Amino acid sequence: MASSSSSPEKGKEKANGKPSEDVAKHKVKKEGLGWIEWFMGWFYLAYEMLFQRIVASNLQNPMPLPPINDLTFIVTGSTSGIGKEIARGHVVMAVRNPKAASDLIKKWQEDWSGRGLPLNIEVMELDLLSLSSVVRFAEAWNARSGPLHALVNNAGIFSIGEPQKFSKDGYEEHMQVNHLAPALLSILLLPSLIRSSPSRIVNVNSIIMFSSVLNKRLPTEAGINVVCVSPGIVHTNVALEVHFFAATDPQLVDYCESLKAEDWPVCAFLNHDCRPANPSEEAHNVETAYRVWEKTLELVGLPSDAVERLIEGGEVKCKYGSSQ
């Protein structure tokens, strides 16, 4: 939404997510947002806050889902709740604090006692602020040779008014948690997703351009569809279940395949009321999307043909871990 002018050094800083020494030596004067950008930004915020609940009020709560008893899901950032319906499947909570997740599961089990819906929830450690942790998680899961029907990249952070922080990998924390880590996880888990196809990757954070290129690079015969979901900005009881709707709705398969057949520039995108939507105009920029793709692979330490190698059953080496 914002438009700004900056020096080449500033552009370099934005591209790799790391502070540039040159930028530290030179002050870069940024242009302010125009009144149109400010108006559109506040209008969109007001619309989301005032009308999101109304628009999503047509959704059932809990949302009806297809039979999922034999399906396995990995969900990042899932300590806020799984949802009654999705807990009938095998859910792997990929979280930074396994103890907190285990305590939460015990509470759910107590609350659900006598309901006849056995919980099948597992906890695995995953720290998105460490790309090495992402590699270890993917290695451990792929080594099981078990099923993975959907990866739900649900985790995300958003901090305002706090000092800028960087991960131990050297990347700005928002960029790593909301983009780099889920992108790396999605690629490294491709062997398990292919083995369990038809399967899906559901992204509910800021990686729409990366998702679109990934979707294009996955051949139809791989049986993996990539779906992006708008999380909205107002918390509702059905918010997380919308994400699982995207992970299980059988009609989405035809929708995703039709977009790919028509060479649509973006992958499937659902808004917060589970309806297909058209993402922003910027997301349709194919050239920019491929630049994001290439830079992302460079930053997470993967070769440019990582997806193709994994689809063919080959190995991929990431600089943050051993070979996959």
Side-chain angles (χ1 to χ4, degrees):
M1 181 179 71
S3 61
S4 62
S5 63
S6 58
S7 66
E9 289 81 6
K10 185 66 175 179
K12 182 178 180 181
E13 176 189 8
K14 290 183 178 180
N16 58 26
K18 297 183 179 180
S20 169
E21 293 181 0
D22 294 335
V23 173
K25 297 178 181 178
H26 300 84
K27 291 183 179 180
V28 180
K29 185 177 180 180
K30 296 176 63 177
E31 293 182 359
L33 294 175
W35 70 269
I36 295 180
E37 287 84 359
W38 275 108
F39 174 79
M40 293 302 297
W42 282 108
F43 175 82
Y44 179 76
L45 180 65
Y47 170 81
E48 288 281 306
M49 295 184 67
L50 294 175
F51 299 110
Q52 180 179 315
R53 290 183 183 274
I54 299 175
V55 173
S57 62
N58 64 307
L59 301 176
Q60 297 184 40
N61 184 16
M63 294 182 63
L65 298 176
I68 57 174
N69 302 65
D70 298 324
L71 301 183
T72 297
F73 306 85
I74 290 178
V75 187
T76 66
S78 51
T79 54
S80 60
I82 293 297
K84 178 179 177 181
E85 294 299 313
I86 198 63
R88 290 181 292 148
H90 176 206
V91 178
V92 179
M93 298 173 62
V95 296
R96 186 178 183 181
N97 189 338
K99 183 180 184 304
S102 298
D103 292 342
L104 187 59
I105 292 175
K106 291 180 181 179
K107 181 179 183 303
W108 289 341
Q109 289 174 335
E110 294 174 357
D111 295 340
W112 284 31
S113 60
R115 297 191 183 186
L117 293 172
L119 291 176
N120 186 9
I121 304 177
E122 179 183 355
V123 176
M124 290 183 66
E125 183 175 0
L126 173 62
D127 183 3
L128 297 179
L129 285 172
S130 167
L131 295 180
S132 295
S133 175
V134 175
V135 175
R136 289 194 300 271
F137 179 93
E139 288 179 338
W141 183 264
N142 289 332
R144 293 185 176 190
S145 298
L148 175 58
H149 300 95
L151 167 64
V152 182
N153 287 311
N154 174 68
I157 60 174
F158 183 64
S159 300
I160 298 180
E162 297 182 5
Q164 192 176 42
K165 299 178 182 178
F166 292 83
S167 71
K168 56 185 174 183
D169 299 311
Y171 300 118
E172 196 278 327
E173 288 191 353
H174 287 84
M175 181 177 179
Q176 177 151 335
V177 173
N178 298 345
H179 175 67
L180 295 178
L184 177 61
L185 183 64
S186 298
I187 293 179
L188 295 184
L189 287 177
L190 285 178
S192 294
L193 289 164
I194 293 173
R195 185 167 52 244
S196 309
S197 64
S199 55
R200 299 179 192 179
I201 299 173
V202 179
N203 292 319
V204 290
N205 47 28
S206 309
I207 53 177
I208 178 67
M209 284 189 171
F210 181 90
S211 301
S212 296
V213 178
L214 175 59
N215 189 58
K216 287 180 176 295
R217 288 185 172 250
L218 293 172
T220 304
E221 54 269 23
I224 304 174
N225 289 309
V226 182
V227 183
C228 286
V229 179
S230 169
I233 62 173
V234 179
H235 177 73
T236 62
N237 292 332
V238 299
L240 189 55
E241 292 186 358
V242 170
H243 310 156
F244 284 113
F245 174 87
T248 59
D249 180 24
Q251 297 182 5
L252 274 180
V253 175
D254 293 336
Y255 176 56
C256 292
E257 292 180 353
S258 66
L259 293 180
K260 185 174 292 189
E262 296 173 3
D263 199 25
W264 192 244
V266 295
C267 65
F269 178 72
L270 302 181
N271 59 19
H272 48 261
D273 63 350
C274 290
R275 297 180 182 179
N278 195 19
S280 66
E281 181 179 349
E282 291 83 359
H284 286 256
N285 190 318
V286 176
E287 180 181 355
T288 302
Y290 274 93
R291 289 176 61 190
V292 170
W293 170 268
E294 293 168 0
K295 194 63 183 180
T296 300
L297 293 186
E298 176 187 335
L299 295 180
V300 299
L302 290 177
S304 59
D305 61 345
V307 172
E308 289 74 19
R309 289 192 200 178
L310 292 174
I311 290 175
E312 295 172 359
E315 293 184 349
V316 168
K317 176 166 287 189
C318 174
K319 72 178 183 181
Y320 292 98
S322 58
S323 62
Q324 288 291 310

